[in-house]
Amino acid sequence: MLQIDKKQKFDVLVNSVNQCELCVRMRGRCKVLSERNGSLDSKVVFIGEAPGRLGADRTQTPFCGDQAGKNFERLLSLAGLSRTEVFITNTVLCNPRDEKGNNAPPTLEETRNCSLHLSLVLDIIHPELVVTLGQWALKALSTIAPHSIDLHRDVRKPAKWAGYVVLPVYHPGPRAVLHRSITNQFGDFYVLSDILGGRERSRTGIQKRQLPLLDVFQPSVGQKVIFRIVRQLGEVSKFKLAKLLYLLDWRQVRTTGDLLTGFYYIFQKNGPLATSLSLALDEMEGHELRFRWRGGQPIYATGQDIRVAMGLTLDTEKVIDDLVRECQALTDFQIKTKAYLTDPIRDILRRQKAGERMLNHPIFEGRIPAKPNEPE
Ligand code: URA
């Protein structure tokens, strides 16, 4: 298909999508399909779940502006790919929300309503590879043509579907690590890189399998908070840092009703953990942070290459500094105990004692009210 032809077809599709009112709960919401989704000449189309409330619904660019977007961009760069050479879309093109205003998964009916849009996108681009990100994208494919791909069983195995090659991987949202470790997610994107001819790409000098450093470092609030903590302490173990972040956010939830860092916390064997902590640290390592092992423990200290301003508001810095001062002298055991004495962890421990399986349980679930229009 000639490029001009593709562009015309795409414009017609975008126009018709913009007039769509099929899904009642998404009427009036922005439709995330435009040239911002990527290149019509792309060899690969990624299919996510739905635009996020704090991400694509605000930025009108899929996987952009929220934690899922950050994770995705990082995985993409691992595969040696940039946004401009791929095309990214979603199972549904608008942001579905529950009655409290939080992100919600699309329903099967909504997925069916949007399946014509998805199938036309695939027809126009006709990619060599379709990468499904999570369960809903696989469901979306099955509303176009049947398949028997099972995410759990078939993850990172290329499969044939409706004349395309499909690579199923997990959704890169903050909860993904509940189902698939970060290491395995990295592995999935290495496979993707290989399928797309990664070895050729590296020989021709195109970036491949670089450490996941983006060209421009745009620290999240969580990363700025980490930086402040490390700077105040000089150095800190990852173990202690994880607890400090949790304690800080719990304090903030009680005073302002919301998290300070924007991290997503789950309960693990060693207590509370922000699911994207490792990613956030990796991104800063060798720059804002220095890493080393001490007595088998990962330790972080302030680095020499501070790429952008890492400042927060004075109020936020004071909240961090107060907590750091309070916890400075605590040993790992003592800070873990302090975290275990907070209400959310006590609740979890109580339920665990009563026989419930609480490993990986979200910690702040039900404790943070939704704020529909608040940017991340
Ligand atoms: N942003 C998107 O565009 N899609 C998702 O599935 C999640 C976040």
Side-chain angles (χ1 to χ4, degrees):
M1 205 181 320
L2 286 172
Q3 172 63 17
I4 182 83
D5 213 16
K6 280 189 181 187
K7 172 86 177 81
Q8 274 168 357
K9 288 188 172 172
F10 186 66
D11 288 347
V12 171
L13 173 61
V14 170
N15 200 20
S16 110
V17 163
N18 281 332
Q19 290 170 30
C20 176
E21 298 230 297
L22 278 178
C23 303
V24 179
R25 69 170 165 164
M26 293 189 254
R27 278 191 192 146
R29 198 140 293 146
C30 92
K31 286 111 174 68
V32 183
L33 187 71
S34 71
E35 75 281 356
R36 287 168 179 252
N37 292 51
S39 161
L40 299 181
D41 286 327
S42 173
K43 287 186 187 172
V44 51
V45 168
F46 290 90
I47 308 171
E49 181 176 311
R53 173 173 70 92
L54 301 178
D57 191 48
R58 275 194 309 129
T59 60
Q60 304 196 7
T61 308
F63 285 104
C64 173
D66 53 10
Q67 191 58 48
K70 251 184 166 260
N71 296 352
F72 176 70
E73 280 173 354
R74 188 181 181 83
L75 291 166
L76 200 60
S77 84
L78 257 189
L81 294 166
S82 69
R83 273 184 184 274
T84 50
E85 53 184 333
V86 303
F87 192 93
I88 311 161
T89 188
N90 279 300
T91 297
V92 293
L93 295 173
C94 306
N95 169 228
R97 296 185 190 176
D98 64 17
E99 56 298 334
K100 290 188 191 149
N102 291 317
N103 282 333
T107 63
L108 196 54
E109 190 189 347
E110 289 162 347
T111 302
R112 285 204 188 98
N113 287 346
C114 227
S115 81
L116 178 64
H117 302 145
L118 179 59
S119 106
L120 287 172
V121 163
L122 294 176
D123 277 356
I124 293 168
I125 300 176
H126 210 83
E128 283 173 21
L129 186 68
V130 176
V131 182
T132 52
L133 303 165
Q135 293 283 11
W136 277 98
L138 280 174
K139 239 173 242 176
L141 293 192
S142 67
T143 63
I144 299 172
H147 65 74
S148 55
I149 306 169
D150 174 88
L151 179 57
H152 187 63
R153 187 193 58 210
D154 300 322
V155 59
R156 76 159 83 145
K157 290 189 206 143
K160 290 199 171 143
W161 168 82
Y164 294 100
V165 177
V166 175
L167 183 75
V169 299
Y170 280 75
H171 190 274
R175 289 171 201 238
V177 287
L178 304 186
H179 309 287
R180 187 126 179 109
S181 71
I182 293 290
T183 317
N184 273 329
Q185 288 183 57
F186 282 177
D188 300 340
F189 273 69
Y190 282 159
V191 169
L192 162 64
S193 161
D194 278 346
I195 294 174
L196 291 174
R199 288 190 196 91
E200 266 63 44
R201 291 160 64 82
S202 71
R203 252 185 260 127
T204 54
I206 298 172
Q207 291 182 353
K208 182 184 172 270
R209 293 195 179 189
Q210 277 212 328
L211 273 178
L213 293 172
L214 302 176
D215 294 338
V216 183
F217 177 53
Q218 292 178 307
S220 64
V221 176
Q223 286 174 314
K224 290 182 178 183
V225 172
I226 291 173
F227 182 71
R228 181 85 190 173
I229 293 175
V230 176
R231 217 173 64 177
Q232 298 302 79
L233 288 173
E235 63 168 39
V236 64
S237 68
K238 187 173 174 190
F239 182 95
K240 186 163 179 176
L241 179 62
K243 310 296 175 288
L244 280 168
L245 289 166
Y246 163 74
L247 287 166
L248 188 66
D249 271 326
W250 170 232
R251 190 166 278 188
Q252 197 72 359
V253 167
R254 277 181 306 157
T255 51
T256 69
D258 211 348
L259 299 171
L260 178 59
T261 60
F263 284 144
Y264 184 78
Y265 290 87
I266 55 172
F267 181 69
Q268 295 240 305
K269 198 162 68 30
N270 267 328
L273 182 73
T275 56
S276 41
L277 178 60
S278 296
L279 284 178
L281 291 168
D282 283 357
E283 217 171 41
M284 295 161 78
E285 193 188 320
H287 297 271
E288 290 75 19
L289 297 181
R290 259 181 310 129
F291 169 81
R292 69 190 163 90
W293 290 97
R294 194 183 54 207
Q297 277 239 64
I299 305 285
Y300 288 90
T302 319
Q304 310 266 308
D305 175 25
I306 298 161
R307 289 167 287 179
V308 287
M310 298 293 284
L312 292 152
T313 64
L314 284 179
D315 284 352
T316 304
E317 290 182 351
K318 181 173 178 327
V319 175
I320 299 169
D321 296 354
D322 286 349
L323 182 81
V324 168
R325 217 171 297 118
E326 215 176 281
C327 300
Q328 200 160 14
L330 300 185
T331 62
D332 281 0
F333 177 75
Q334 287 167 328
I335 197 154
K336 182 171 172 182
T337 308
K338 193 173 170 73
Y340 272 52
L341 289 174
T342 58
D343 289 352
I345 304 291
R346 283 161 86 117
D347 274 358
I348 286 179
L349 294 175
R350 204 173 310 120
R351 288 170 66 181
Q352 198 169 46
K353 208 164 167 198
E356 273 187 70
R357 219 184 103 75
M358 300 306 286
L359 204 64
N360 290 333
H361 190 82
I363 292 181
F364 289 114
E365 199 174 63
R367 291 180 189 267
I368 311 169
K371 297 192 182 63
N373 296 318
E374 188 196 59
E376 197 181 41

